[in-house]
mmCIF file of all heavy atoms in Angstrom:
data_model
loop_
_atom_site.group_PDB
_atom_site.id
_atom_site.type_symbol
_atom_site.label_atom_id
_atom_site.label_comp_id
_atom_site.label_asym_id
_atom_site.label_seq_id
_atom_site.Cartn_x
_atom_site.Cartn_y
_atom_site.Cartn_z
ATOM 1 N N ALA A 39 0.607 -1.358 9.002
ATOM 2 C CA ALA A 39 -0.244 -0.751 7.973
ATOM 3 C C ALA A 39 0.222 0.679 7.713
ATOM 4 O O ALA A 39 0.015 1.219 6.626
ATOM 5 C CB ALA A 39 -1.710 -0.781 8.400
ATOM 6 N N GLY A 102 5.007 7.098 -4.470
ATOM 7 C CA GLY A 102 4.247 6.189 -3.605
ATOM 8 C C GLY A 102 2.810 6.077 -4.078
ATOM 9 O O GLY A 102 2.458 6.544 -5.168
ATOM 10 N N THR A 103 1.989 5.471 -3.257
ATOM 11 C CA THR A 103 0.586 5.235 -3.609
ATOM 12 C C THR A 103 -0.137 6.548 -3.928
ATOM 13 O O THR A 103 -0.825 6.674 -4.955
ATOM 14 C CB THR A 103 -0.131 4.533 -2.440
ATOM 15 O OG1 THR A 103 0.598 3.340 -2.126
ATOM 16 C CG2 THR A 103 -1.551 4.180 -2.797
ATOM 17 N N THR A 104 0.033 7.518 -3.046
ATOM 18 C CA THR A 104 -0.661 8.805 -3.216
ATOM 19 C C THR A 104 -0.282 9.428 -4.555
ATOM 20 O O THR A 104 -1.150 9.917 -5.300
ATOM 21 C CB THR A 104 -0.252 9.761 -2.071
ATOM 22 O OG1 THR A 104 -0.525 9.117 -0.826
ATOM 23 C CG2 THR A 104 -0.983 11.088 -2.157
ATOM 24 N N HIS A 132 -8.886 5.073 1.815
ATOM 25 C CA HIS A 132 -7.916 6.001 2.408
ATOM 26 C C HIS A 132 -8.130 7.369 1.748
ATOM 27 O O HIS A 132 -8.533 7.439 0.584
ATOM 28 C CB HIS A 132 -6.521 5.457 2.085
ATOM 29 C CG HIS A 132 -5.389 6.149 2.759
ATOM 30 N ND1 HIS A 132 -4.895 7.364 2.344
ATOM 31 C CD2 HIS A 132 -4.615 5.785 3.818
ATOM 32 C CE1 HIS A 132 -3.871 7.716 3.121
ATOM 33 N NE2 HIS A 132 -3.684 6.757 4.014
ATOM 34 N N SER A 134 -6.157 9.168 0.414
ATOM 35 C CA SER A 134 -5.399 9.214 -0.851
ATOM 36 C C SER A 134 -6.208 8.722 -2.032
ATOM 37 O O SER A 134 -5.857 9.016 -3.176
ATOM 38 C CB SER A 134 -4.185 8.288 -0.785
ATOM 39 O OG SER A 134 -3.263 8.746 0.104
ATOM 40 N N ASN A 184 -7.208 -0.080 4.630
ATOM 41 C CA ASN A 184 -6.137 0.131 5.617
ATOM 42 C C ASN A 184 -6.656 0.261 7.041
ATOM 43 O O ASN A 184 -5.988 -0.159 7.980
ATOM 44 C CB ASN A 184 -5.319 1.378 5.253
ATOM 45 C CG ASN A 184 -6.109 2.657 5.440
ATOM 46 O OD1 ASN A 184 -7.158 2.824 4.835
ATOM 47 N ND2 ASN A 184 -5.625 3.545 6.277
ATOM 48 N N ASP A 209 -5.953 0.403 -5.399
ATOM 49 C CA ASP A 209 -4.997 0.903 -4.420
ATOM 50 C C ASP A 209 -4.444 -0.300 -3.662
ATOM 51 O O ASP A 209 -5.098 -0.868 -2.792
ATOM 52 C CB ASP A 209 -5.724 1.891 -3.495
ATOM 53 C CG ASP A 209 -4.876 2.316 -2.311
ATOM 54 O OD1 ASP A 209 -3.777 1.754 -2.116
ATOM 55 O OD2 ASP A 209 -5.333 3.207 -1.575
ATOM 56 N N ALA A 211 -1.827 -0.487 -1.636
ATOM 57 C CA ALA A 211 -0.904 -0.147 -0.538
ATOM 58 C C ALA A 211 -0.867 -1.218 0.556
ATOM 59 O O ALA A 211 0.195 -1.548 1.068
ATOM 60 C CB ALA A 211 -1.273 1.206 0.065
ATOM 61 N N GLN A 212 -2.025 -1.759 0.903
ATOM 62 C CA GLN A 212 -2.073 -2.705 2.027
ATOM 63 C C GLN A 212 -1.973 -4.159 1.591
ATOM 64 O O GLN A 212 -1.939 -5.053 2.437
ATOM 65 C CB GLN A 212 -3.368 -2.499 2.833
ATOM 66 C CG GLN A 212 -3.439 -1.164 3.535
ATOM 67 C CD GLN A 212 -2.311 -0.963 4.548
ATOM 68 O OE1 GLN A 212 -1.748 -1.916 5.085
ATOM 69 N NE2 GLN A 212 -1.967 0.281 4.796
ATOM 70 N N SER A 232 3.115 1.566 -2.489
ATOM 71 C CA SER A 232 4.219 2.347 -1.906
ATOM 72 C C SER A 232 5.335 1.411 -1.488
ATOM 73 O O SER A 232 5.072 0.375 -0.868
ATOM 74 C CB SER A 232 3.763 3.088 -0.642
ATOM 75 O OG SER A 232 2.690 3.938 -0.904
ATOM 76 N N HIS A 234 7.451 1.798 0.967
ATOM 77 C CA HIS A 234 7.657 1.684 2.423
ATOM 78 C C HIS A 234 6.697 0.705 3.088
ATOM 79 O O HIS A 234 6.911 0.315 4.225
ATOM 80 C CB HIS A 234 7.578 3.069 3.087
ATOM 81 C CG HIS A 234 6.215 3.670 3.132
ATOM 82 N ND1 HIS A 234 5.424 3.626 4.258
ATOM 83 C CD2 HIS A 234 5.479 4.333 2.203
ATOM 84 C CE1 HIS A 234 4.284 4.262 4.016
ATOM 85 N NE2 HIS A 234 4.297 4.695 2.771
ATOM 86 N N LYS A 235 5.645 0.310 2.369
ATOM 87 C CA LYS A 235 4.711 -0.676 2.938
ATOM 88 C C LYS A 235 5.173 -2.097 2.633
ATOM 89 O O LYS A 235 4.568 -3.054 3.073
ATOM 90 C CB LYS A 235 3.304 -0.502 2.351
ATOM 91 C CG LYS A 235 2.781 0.913 2.376
ATOM 92 C CD LYS A 235 1.887 1.174 3.540
ATOM 93 C CE LYS A 235 1.167 2.510 3.350
ATOM 94 N NZ LYS A 235 0.668 3.051 4.593
HETATM 95 N N1 PLP B 1 -3.905 3.848 0.389
HETATM 96 C C1 PLP B 1 -3.896 3.011 1.431
HETATM 97 C C2 PLP B 1 -4.875 1.884 1.468
HETATM 98 C C3 PLP B 1 -2.984 3.196 2.467
HETATM 99 O O1 PLP B 1 -2.980 2.357 3.507
HETATM 100 C C4 PLP B 1 -2.066 4.265 2.387
HETATM 101 C C5 PLP B 1 -1.118 4.531 3.494
HETATM 102 O O2 PLP B 1 -1.409 4.258 4.641
HETATM 103 C C6 PLP B 1 -2.096 5.086 1.266
HETATM 104 C C7 PLP B 1 -3.030 4.861 0.293
HETATM 105 C C8 PLP B 1 -1.136 6.219 1.110
HETATM 106 O O3 PLP B 1 0.153 5.735 0.945
HETATM 107 P P1 PLP B 1 1.402 6.720 0.810
HETATM 108 O O4 PLP B 1 1.255 7.702 1.976
HETATM 109 O O5 PLP B 1 2.585 5.835 0.962
HETATM 110 O O6 PLP B 1 1.317 7.403 -0.485
#
Side-chain angles (χ1 to χ4, degrees):
T103 305
T104 305
H132 188 282
S134 292
N184 69 302
D209 171 353
Q212 294 299 334
S232 302
H234 71 100
K235 310 262 192 200

